Amino acid sequence: MESIKRNILLNPGPSTTTDTVKYAQVVPDICPREKEFGGLMKGLREDLVKIVHGDLDEYTSVLFCGSGTINIDVCINSLLPEGKKVLVVNNGAYSTRAVEICQFYGLPHIDLQFPVDQRPDLAVVEETLKNNPDIALVHTTHNETGTGILNPIREIGALAHKYGAVFTVDTTSTYAMRPINVHEDNIDFCMASAQKGLMAFTGLSFVVGRKDIIEKSKEYPKRSYYCNLWLQYDFFERTGEMHFTPPVQTIYSTIQALKEYWAEGEEAKWARHTRVFNAINDGLDELGFRQVIKPEWRTGLVSSAVYPDDPNWSFEAVHDYCYDRGFTIYPGKISTTNTFRLCALGAIDEQDIKDFFVVFKEALKENNIQIPVIYKD
């Protein structure tokens, strides 16, 4: 097997992949309606539940063809009963996306906003639930990838259940990285895409959630045809197939990525991501960069660094210098602050980050940016 040029992606997905995952896509052509392919998807669906320690009698996974946003769309439009309301606990760009989905479908909702650099106030969340007994669905994001803040999903889920609501969590940037237990974390539905923690490729997304709630949702208003959770689940259960054409090659690569996930192990994989994250933080600290999120609130996967005040600073110039040498950095997603992000996703380890900072320092010097970088008080 010929090795493929290796790029170190420090963006928040898609992530750096192994050559074995890349080559898993090179398979004989097959019609996805064949029983052989349906059998592959059955095992894949079970593995996706096992990663978050779900009981297969209680939880299932439902596959969709699309990017991670399709999961938020599916859960919000499919799981809200007639005459009920969505509560979005919102402290970042990805929970804001859930609010926008509510707006586009015309769904009754509360956009409960908190500052992007702060964790949600649980007392305010509870007060909102108490004052709005028609809330039937609570949604938030586990790791707001725009900043790297870790939200208290276990506590939010407990409050949702206390007031009789279903709890959906966007775990796109934590699934298969930071350990998740759907039972202990009070999660009814979580979601991700193959190109993130599983270190496979774009095109396959999935929702892991409770069978009983999906079956109950059959009676809810049908707000979308392609993005309806019950329709896709029911088709899987009756036929073993996706309702519409699946991303065949991506599914093969994801099955290989799952083999590599189980071989590495949940704890060892999280330890590796933690090594990478610590190396990123050490490198930023050494150069004097400030971060948006204080250390105790960081997810352990995304570092969001503030642009320095140096007039020579140019994210584009630094990005291009690093990109030409095999390293990808990513702009921030905070409307009020200019930031860039370095992420601990993918098939990388601590040495890759040390190698990156050699190049990053060269990029700063090449652009006459002072080290340590300058911030005005």
Side-chain angles (χ1 to χ4, degrees), residues 282-290 306-313 340 357 360-361 364-365 368-376:
D282 290 346
L284 288 172
D285 288 347
E286 181 188 337
L287 293 172
F289 281 93
R290 291 178 183 167
V306 180
Y307 284 5
D309 293 323
D310 193 318
N312 293 322
W313 169 261
F340 68 94
F357 274 108
F360 190 64
K361 287 177 191 174
L364 298 179
K365 290 175 182 175
N368 298 312
I369 298 162
Q370 182 173 318
I371 302 175
V373 296
I374 305 166
Y375 287 100
K376 293 172 186 171

Side-chain angles (χ1 to χ4, degrees), residues 332-344:
K333 212 175 183 76
I334 305 172
S335 59
T336 56
T337 309
N338 287 321
T339 61
F340 68 94
R341 288 174 282 173
L342 302 176
C343 304

Side-chain angles (χ1 to χ4, degrees), residues 163-177:
Y163 291 91
V166 168
F167 184 46
T168 66
V169 189
D170 180 354
T171 54
T172 306
S173 57
T174 50
Y175 180 96
M177 290 176 285

Side-chain angles (χ1 to χ4, degrees), residues 234-260:
D234 179 58
F235 202 83
F236 265 125
E237 294 303 299
R238 288 188 291 106
T239 69
E241 302 172 6
M242 286 180 73
H243 199 180
F244 306 102
T245 307
V248 175
Q249 278 68 32
T250 301
I251 285 174
Y252 278 107
S253 71
T254 305
I255 289 168
Q256 175 61 30
L258 280 162
K259 291 176 184 174
E260 295 177 17

Side-chain angles (χ1 to χ4, degrees), residues 343-361:
C343 304
L345 285 65
I348 60 177
D349 211 330
E350 182 178 10
Q351 186 58 50
D352 294 311
I353 303 305
K354 291 179 179 178
D355 295 343
F356 160 71
F357 274 108
V358 171
V359 172
F360 190 64
K361 287 177 191 174

